[in-house]
Amino acid sequence: MSFTIKQASQKVGMSPHTIRFYEKQGLLPLLKRNDTGYRSFTNHDIEWLDFISCLRKTDIPITELKKIMDLTLEGNHTIQERKHILLTHREEMLEKQRELDLAFKKIEKKLRYFDDLEKREQAGSEDPSLLCE
């Protein structure tokens, strides 16, 4: 079964413009065209686009995706290299997650502080020294 670019974009939640951009970046080298020259997406192409979309949400650089694609085209003897790219990216994501978790905790603390201030204000015990916490 094949899909048009519009159908592919709907399946992966990506605009046709973005798909064309990824193709120009060399991320879809196996993409075929039909007799009229339109892009024809297979289920495999859709899966790859979904993978690209997933990794882009994690801020992986396009250059890293291109390396993975180039290595994939070279064959299975590059599995370790592709795996290394993903392992390295996962470590970067874990570090970012730790940073975000810390920021989230600080935001939660500040929100609790604001809740306490609102309660005090409603109770009529506004103390200006509490505003500096």
Side-chain angles (χ1 to χ4, degrees), residues 91-104:
E91 286 304 312
E92 291 168 2
M93 287 174 47
L94 287 169
E95 178 58 31
K96 183 69 171 176
Q97 184 175 20
R98 286 187 285 271
E99 292 171 4
L100 289 172
D101 287 344
L102 181 60
F104 184 79

Side-chain angles (χ1 to χ4, degrees), residues 44-86:
H44 181 53
D45 295 322
I46 300 294
E47 289 172 13
W48 177 245
L49 281 171
D50 190 51
F51 181 66
I52 290 171
S53 177
C54 173
L55 286 177
R56 290 296 292 153
K57 288 174 186 171
T58 68
D59 294 327
I60 194 169
I62 289 177
T63 55
E64 293 299 297
L65 285 171
K66 179 76 167 96
K67 283 181 196 174
I68 292 170
M69 174 49 77
D70 291 344
L71 290 167
T72 300
L73 293 173
E74 288 181 32
N76 285 343
H77 67 279
T78 65
I79 289 172
Q80 286 300 314
E81 292 171 83
R82 289 181 270 164
K83 187 176 176 181
H84 177 73
I85 292 169
L86 291 177

Side-chain angles (χ1 to χ4, degrees), residues 107-122:
I107 290 169
E108 288 296 314
K109 180 180 177 183
K110 187 56 83 172
L111 288 171
R112 285 191 303 275
Y113 168 72
F114 288 147
D115 287 343
D116 289 344
L117 280 179
E118 285 178 334
K119 288 176 189 173
R120 289 180 185 138
E121 186 176 304
Q122 290 170 357

